[in-house]
Amino acid sequence: MRHNRHYLRALLLLLGGGALLLLIRGFLIPKSFNEYGFYRGDNVEEQMNKPTRFAAKEACAACHEDIWKKHQKGSHAKVQCQNCHAPLSVHVNLETGDFVDKMPINKSSKLCLRCHLQLPSRPKTQPQIDVETHISRTAPTAPPRSDEVCLTCHTPHDPKIKRQHGM
Ligand code: HEC
Ligand code: HEC
Ligand code: HEC
Ligand code: HEC
């Protein structure tokens, strides 16, 4: 009979510990948790209220008509301006339309190779190059190998070069 008291103590300790854990859990779990699913419901509203950074892809056309037209006719028509430059909000205030700051220009071959570097996992439909063979094959005398080398032959807003004889 006297041994039962050990069990009782252990049981009380377990119950007490459990209650304490539940109490702490109550403090730690945010109120909106599980409102919609296994996440904080308030997060949905927080994400929705973030300031808009990107504009519709046509947004640049209003002020850069010439480049827009050239770009729409070229093989980069599907590559958005903001993809190579930056979100419009860097450049123009999306609410007032006021000028904010210069739009960045990235002339580095790194930009082009982000999409055009030959990779086994890339779909074949995406034009890909191996830089060394590409440049030595296309240039009779290799252009200086600067970081901006792609722009010595391609223009970013209409990059396709017609295949010539002997290439
Ligand atoms: C409300 C008009 C307006 C819109 C919309 C606009 N721009 Fe511009 N942009 C300008 C003006 C004005 C300049 C010239 C600023 C200067 O030379 O300081 C300029 C200059 C630029 C430059 C050159 C920056 C430099 O350093 O020479 C780039 C690149 C550019 N814009 C890209 C874009 C892109 C991409 C978009 C769309 C995402 C866009 N712009 C939308 C007004 C606009
Ligand atoms: C594939 C990447 C790429 C895309 C897409 C792109 N640009 Fe550019 N843009 C560049 C690069 C690189 C330069 C610098 C070119 C140079 O100096 O030779 C540039 C230069 C510019 C300039 C400076 C003036 C000039 O003619 O060099 C403006 C303005 C501009 N881009 C606007 C736009 C707009 C508007 C769009 C969409 C219609 C667009 N760009 C799409 C890469 C891109
Ligand atoms: C965001 C991805 C992206 C970036 C960055 C990009 N391109 Fe492209 N480029 C494409 C896609 C996609 C196509 C094919 C479009 C199609 O077939 O409709 C293409 C097409 C081309 C073509 C034409 C290929 C052909 O034979 O039809 C050339 C050349 C080219 N890009 C060069 C460049 C150069 C140079 C740069 C850097 C200034 C660059 N690209 C940056 C995605 C990109
Ligand atoms: C010396 C000139 C030259 C330079 C530099 C150059 N290219 Fe090209 N590129 C060409 C020519 C010419 C073609 C079209 C004929 C061909 O593919 O043989 C071409 C075609 C392409 C194509 C289409 C290939 C395909 O299979 O459809 C892509 C993509 C491309 N270049 C990207 C780039 C990138 C990215 C750079 C910078 C790392 C670059 N080029 C540098 C001349 C050049």
Side-chain angles (χ1 to χ4, degrees), residues 97-161:
D98 291 336
F99 186 79
V100 175
D101 203 349
K102 275 201 161 167
M103 182 59 118
I105 297 179
N106 183 353
K107 298 189 189 182
S108 160
S109 55
K110 281 202 197 79
L111 172 74
C112 316
L113 294 172
R114 201 169 73 199
C115 299
H116 291 298
L117 184 69
Q118 200 163 64
L119 295 173
S121 52
R122 272 211 163 127
K124 294 274 179 289
T125 47
Q126 174 110 344
Q128 300 165 45
I129 57 149
D130 169 75
V131 183
E132 287 310 311
T133 50
H134 180 68
I135 294 176
S136 53
R137 186 174 58 81
T138 50
T141 49
R145 210 59 75 81
S146 75
D147 186 45
E148 297 169 9
V149 68
C150 311
L151 300 180
T152 55
C153 299
H154 296 279
T155 75
H157 303 132
D158 183 11
K160 192 172 170 105
I161 301 175

Side-chain angles (χ1 to χ4, degrees), residues 31-33 35-36 40-47:
K31 280 213 171 57
S32 68
F33 190 79
E35 195 177 332
Y36 308 116
R40 208 162 45 81
D42 286 350
N43 187 43
V44 176
E45 203 172 322
E46 280 165 33
Q47 296 299 331

Side-chain angles (χ1 to χ4, degrees), residues 60-86:
C60 318
C63 305
H64 298 286
E65 209 193 332
D66 294 354
I67 293 181
W68 170 258
K69 279 188 181 151
K70 185 179 180 186
H71 175 256
Q72 283 307 100
K73 280 188 227 133
S75 49
H76 269 169
K78 284 187 206 141
V79 184
Q80 286 202 31
C81 318
Q82 293 167 105
N83 233 320
C84 289
H85 291 284

